Amino acid sequence: MIISRGTARSSPLPRLLAAAAAFVGTAAWMVFFRNGLVLSHYDAKAHLVVARRVFDNLTPGWQQIGAVWLPLPHLIEVVPTQVDFLYRTGIFASFVSIACLAITSYAAARLILRVTGSSIGACVCTALLVLNPNLLYLHTTPMTEPLLLATTALAVLWLLEWVEIESDIVPAKLAAVLFAAMWTRYEAWAVIGAAMVAAGYATWRRGAAIDTLVRRGWRLAIWPILAVVVFLINSRITVGAWFVSDGFYVPDPSYAGQPLRTLLGIWWGTHQLSGYVIETIALMAAVAIAWRAVRNREDSALLITLALFAAAALPIVAFYQGHPYRIRYMIPVVAACAVFGGLAVGLLCRVQKDPAYPDIGRRGPGDFQGRPGPFGPGMVLATFLIASLFIESAPWNMQAPMLLEAQWDRGASIGRRDVTACLEREYSGDKVLASMGSLAHYMQELSNNGFGIADFINEGNGAIWNLALQTGPAPHAGWMLVEEVAEGGDVLAEHVRHDPAFTRGMTRICEGGGVALYKRASTDRNASLR
């Protein structure tokens, strides 16, 4: 089944499709930017804050990268976000995401060409990626999913190529992308792990001796293992724990402890983002490829492609453990469905042309000479997939699920304008106590009013923050912002509810969008304590 690797390398099609994806992504960014949607998701703003705070901070330093989110997206943006214009608009981060769309399209097209030799399949895959409004929207924002999709797509492609050449030497580009993927999002840990297991199986099936299998496996695994070890050490140094797995959300019982309901939630979210037809065809293609990979020794490397679906492991575990449902967590699965939709088309085109299948795809219109005609099964499926995309999830749909979820905070953001006006009117330079875990997005919004991260006392300031929680804000800050609604309220809201003395010396002066603003009663920070 697998076409010669020269087919994929010699074809200019993957690069042309990557350029087309970049063009579409840029055009979409212009539309979303004009409509104020590029930074509408609270996490889009928060990611900019994490990158900015490395230098703009009361306590600057590499430790500000933090330990909840993986670091690569923020490392890429550390320097650009120090430029106020790029920080306030997110333009640089958006264009990183657009570049990732081009890379994902390139890797997917090349993978399909390598496996099936089908240009139609490669084009269909790219169309499913760049014309899906949910995928397209995320690739115009500073979110981290685009980098995840790009690195894992490259990892799967290059890993399949490496297994096929049966080399003991791990190419530098493969080692680098394995390391990078493990630093993007936690879904990559499942994808890379599954891909390496599949690579080990394929190497064994292709006749490698046990010592060769162990040697190649170790040389491959050292890179993702190293990435995880470095991250865990950083986590231990920065927050005092090897791994942060809770404390940043309020448990939701909707899916907690319910495995069947959780799986149905994954299925529902995926077809909401892509459509029933694309999801069904992709899963059918995945089953066919898995069967082919297990049955035929020469096709065993195809099992590596199935690792893209391993991204579903993270939402499955998260929702089962009580994480609030977020449809965004199915985005990597939607991208996998696009790849396998293209593979399905490519496989049918391959069947149509393969002499081993003389009776399939040779009787359609325009096929009277016994040669594959333009209306063979591959082209029919391609037309069906594209039509279903336009019917179920049209690219111009501004009510697509991902766009709606991204605007959950829009109403609160409008409400916070009253708080911003109140703060700006009376602000004279005193520090503002605020939880970055809950209000990082608001801190980014306040940059448009001249506030920097160094104007805030937050969790990243270590001892200063902890002391403020112990004694109350008045001795340390002139202001306090409290998120009282989202996720049940933040850590400051909890202190206010359980300890009335916590706000001693502070006066609540305004509120809006679920946020309350407190001001120190006197400019003399000790007056309230006398």
Side-chain angles (χ1 to χ4, degrees):
M1 180 185 291
I2 298 180
I3 305 301
S4 169
R5 61 179 178 270
T7 304
R9 288 183 176 176
S10 61
S11 173
L13 184 60
R15 291 186 291 275
L16 292 175
L17 292 175
F23 176 81
V24 174
T26 302
W29 174 83
M30 294 174 67
V31 172
F32 292 133
F33 187 81
R34 190 181 305 119
N35 286 277
L37 294 171
V38 169
L39 294 182
S40 62
H41 198 290
Y42 46 83
D43 276 354
K45 300 169 186 172
H47 286 300
L48 294 172
V49 168
V50 173
R52 170 88 173 193
R53 71 185 187 187
V54 173
F55 293 106
D56 178 8
N57 207 306
L58 281 174
T59 54
W62 61 269
Q63 296 94 334
Q64 295 298 331
I65 286 295
V68 175
W69 282 327
L70 291 167
L72 183 60
H74 310 124
L75 291 174
I76 292 173
E77 297 167 16
V78 161
V79 174
T81 52
Q82 306 312 311
V83 178
D84 288 345
F85 175 74
L86 298 180
Y87 172 59
R88 292 170 184 172
T89 62
I91 287 179
F92 177 83
S94 290
F95 278 83
V96 169
S97 294
I98 294 171
C100 287
L101 178 62
I103 292 171
T104 302
S105 299
Y106 167 83
R110 185 165 161 176
L111 178 67
I112 292 168
L113 284 176
R114 185 180 184 88
V115 171
T116 70
S118 172
S119 297
I120 297 175
C123 291
V124 167
C125 173
T126 301
L128 296 181
L129 287 171
V130 305
L131 297 180
N132 182 311
N134 303 288
L135 285 169
L136 189 57
Y137 169 70
L138 273 184
H139 282 89
T140 64
T141 72
M143 303 291 273
T144 54
E145 283 83 359
L147 196 59
L148 165 73
L149 300 182
T151 54
T152 52
L154 285 175
V156 166
L157 169 66
W158 290 341
L159 189 54
L160 184 142
E161 292 177 347
W162 178 71
V163 168
E164 288 179 353
I165 64 176
E166 299 182 349
S167 172
D168 280 358
I169 305 300
V170 177
K173 65 180 183 180
L174 176 56
V177 81
L178 289 174
F179 189 100
M182 301 297 282
W183 272 19
T184 57
R185 288 180 60 89
Y186 294 109
E187 291 96 331
W189 293 17
V191 173
I192 298 302
M196 290 195 300
V197 170
Y201 169 80
T203 301
W204 169 72
R205 281 278 281 157
R206 295 166 72 91
I210 295 299
D211 61 331
T212 300
L213 182 61
V214 172
R215 182 173 61 254
R216 291 179 186 172
W218 170 247
R219 290 179 178 179
L220 185 71
I222 186 62
W223 300 104
I225 289 174
L226 179 62
V228 172
V229 169
V230 173
F231 172 72
L232 295 178
I233 292 174
N234 175 70
S235 178
R236 178 67 175 178
I237 294 173
T238 56
V239 300
W242 292 106
F243 185 76
V244 180
S245 60
D246 55 22
F248 49 89
Y249 65 85
V250 175
D252 183 349
S254 300
Y255 294 89
Q258 304 177 67
L260 180 58
R261 185 176 174 84
T262 296
L263 292 174
L264 290 175
I266 302 299
W267 164 265
W268 180 86
T270 302
H271 73 244
Q272 285 291 306
L273 293 169
S274 61
Y276 284 104
V277 172
I278 295 171
E279 182 180 28
T280 302
I281 295 298
L283 293 178
M284 291 171 63
V287 171
I289 287 174
W291 172 251
R292 183 89 183 191
V294 171
R295 189 180 66 174
N296 298 328
R297 172 180 173 273
E298 63 273 18
D299 291 328
S300 56
L302 289 177
L303 206 61
I304 297 170
T305 62
L306 297 174
L308 293 173
F309 282 110
L314 182 132
I316 289 173
V317 173
F319 299 155
Y320 182 80
Q321 292 181 344
H323 192 290
Y325 190 86
R326 299 287 184 268
I327 204 167
R328 175 167 57 97
Y329 289 176
M330 272 61 77
I331 282 290
V333 184
V334 172
C337 286
V339 173
F340 276 81
L343 283 170
V345 171
L347 293 178
L348 282 183
C349 290
R350 177 69 174 158
V351 166
Q352 183 183 3
K353 297 177 181 179
D354 197 327
Y357 303 90
D359 297 324
I360 300 179
R362 296 177 181 271
R363 304 297 183 189
D367 195 16
F368 300 108
Q369 305 301 317
R371 296 184 299 274
F375 299 104
M379 182 59 75
V380 171
L381 180 60
T383 304
F384 188 51
L385 284 171
I386 298 301
S388 73
L389 174 66
F390 278 83
I391 293 171
E392 295 190 278
S393 189
W396 53 80
N397 181 14
M398 298 299 284
Q399 299 299 310
M402 190 61 250
L403 276 82
L404 294 180
E405 184 173 286
Q407 297 177 73
W408 281 357
D409 187 57
R410 173 164 281 193
S413 179
I414 294 173
R416 289 193 295 266
R417 292 175 185 174
D418 292 338
V419 177
T420 300
C422 187
L423 175 62
E424 188 176 25
R425 184 172 57 251
E426 301 189 40
Y427 186 73
S428 59
D430 289 334
K431 300 304 178 186
V432 182
L433 183 69
S435 170
M436 187 166 285
S438 298
L439 290 177
H441 54 291
Y442 186 32
M443 295 179 189
Q444 195 278 337
E445 290 176 6
L446 285 170
S447 67
N448 293 299
N449 301 89
F451 288 86
I453 305 301
D455 293 318
F456 297 92
I457 298 173
N458 58 78
E459 294 93 330
N461 301 135
I464 303 173
W465 167 263
N466 292 332
L467 190 59
L469 292 186
Q470 293 172 11
T471 65
H476 313 282
W479 302 86
M480 180 172 67
L481 289 168
V482 181
E483 171 58 68
E484 299 180 320
V485 177
E487 299 291 340
D490 62 15
V491 63
L492 295 177
E494 184 177 355
H495 275 69
V496 172
R497 285 194 295 264
H498 291 87
D499 182 11
F502 182 74
T503 57
R504 185 178 57 171
M506 305 291 288
T507 302
R508 182 181 179 121
I509 61 171
C510 62
E511 60 186 49
V515 174
L517 176 65
Y518 290 78
K519 179 184 178 182
R520 192 166 54 212
S522 171
T523 54
D524 178 359
R525 67 179 59 195
N526 295 314
S528 62
L529 302 179
R530 291 172 185 163

